Amino acid sequence: PFSLGWERTMGATGDLLNWELWCNGQILDGGDLALGPSSPNEWPSGHRYITHYAPRTDPQLTTNECEFQVRPGDAEAVTLGTVQVKGRERIFSLEHPPQNLMDIQVLDRARLIGFEVSGAAMQPGDTFTVTLYWEAQAPVDLDYTVFVHLASKADGQVYAQSDMVPQGGAAPTTSWVAGQIIQDTYTLTIPGTVEEGEYVLSVGLYDVGTGTRATLYGEDGAMLEGNMVLLAEIKVK
């Protein structure tokens, strides 16, 4: 994120702000942003404003030192400073497959290829982990939040859950690249007041801005009910 201060002067101006990352004499990333929440041509002359921006960079950028430049409209570019780009660490294969294999399609962008649960029979108050294994297939346009729910098998009431951006925010879905495998662990605690019985563990993804869940397709190609997938049954004793 970055901020710019403006003073409105006379004359017409453009509505876009162009940004670029210059690395080793080349433009490695860039794009256009709305210069302001409203057209600068509507700003009263002489007024001053501070506007805030947060462009999304190309997930495939590698480690580099770059100059960050902006250009309002057709004006000359202004260098705001030097930024250090740190390429993301990624894995594209696993030494060992997940304990439980599956093939759940997420939109047409990724697959849930497996999972592991640290226990199958537990007691009230126990804490356990669920590790998901995603395989990216194509760029994802939204930052989805993953949910892992432990619900009653009888009535579907959720008793424990963990909602998180993959890897605790370190691997947002917009950062995934084709072929990448994302190992993603969630921790849940069973409330001490839970009665013994059978519970189901399920997972899905949603857009935190709208609450809309990502469409999931089962191994038979059919859309999953509720856009969530049943991972396992958990017995609480």
Side-chain angles (χ1 to χ4, degrees):
F2 67 99
S3 301
L4 296 174
W6 304 95
E7 180 178 349
R8 180 67 170 108
T9 56
M10 301 294 291
T13 185
D15 293 338
L16 296 178
L17 178 73
N18 175 263
W19 65 274
E20 295 174 341
L21 279 177
W22 283 80
C23 313
N24 299 319
Q26 302 180 66
I27 301 175
L28 292 192
D29 202 3
D32 289 322
L33 303 166
L35 194 147
S38 61
S39 172
N41 291 301
E42 299 174 1
W43 300 354
S45 179
H47 283 226
R48 292 184 175 183
Y49 302 87
I50 296 178
T51 52
H52 308 281
Y53 310 91
R56 189 183 302 283
T57 53
D58 185 340
Q60 300 194 66
L61 284 177
T62 57
T63 299
N64 223 318
E65 183 175 278
C66 306
E67 284 191 350
F68 183 58
Q69 296 185 356
V70 296
R71 180 184 295 104
D74 296 327
E76 292 185 5
V78 177
T79 299
L80 299 186
T82 300
V83 295
Q84 300 291 332
V85 177
K86 183 179 180 181
R88 291 182 177 273
E89 294 183 5
R90 307 179 191 275
I91 60 172
F92 294 88
S93 63
L94 295 170
E95 290 186 11
H96 305 285
Q99 292 176 356
N100 304 282
L101 297 174
M102 57 196 333
D103 186 5
I104 304 297
Q105 191 73 32
V106 183
L107 302 167
D108 57 351
R109 303 292 175 175
R111 296 188 304 140
L112 179 60
I113 60 174
F115 69 95
E116 296 171 347
V117 182
S118 62
M122 301 178 214
Q123 296 179 325
D126 281 355
T127 295
F128 66 99
T129 61
V130 179
T131 300
L132 307 173
Y133 293 85
W134 309 96
E135 182 182 63
Q137 296 173 306
V140 181
D141 297 330
L142 290 175
D143 280 324
Y144 284 101
T145 295
V146 175
F147 68 84
V148 181
H149 287 174
L150 181 70
S152 167
K153 188 176 180 180
D155 60 13
Q157 181 177 344
V158 177
Y159 285 93
Q161 70 182 82
S162 178
D163 292 40
M164 186 173 67
V165 173
Q167 292 186 356
T173 53
T174 50
S175 75
W176 297 0
V177 299
Q180 179 185 357
I181 295 175
I182 300 91
Q183 183 174 332
D184 193 21
T185 300
Y186 296 77
T187 301
L188 291 84
T189 300
I190 302 173
T193 56
V194 162
E195 297 180 357
E196 73 172 55
E198 294 185 341
Y199 295 80
V200 291
L201 193 64
S202 57
V203 63
L205 307 92
Y206 64 94
D207 175 6
V208 73
T210 63
T212 303
R213 290 185 179 180
T215 306
L216 302 182
Y217 298 92
E219 295 181 3
D220 60 357
M223 188 171 69
L224 297 179
E225 183 178 355
N227 285 317
M228 61 182 181
V229 57
L230 172 64
L231 296 182
E233 294 188 0
I234 303 292
K235 292 183 178 180
V236 178
K237 298 181 178 181

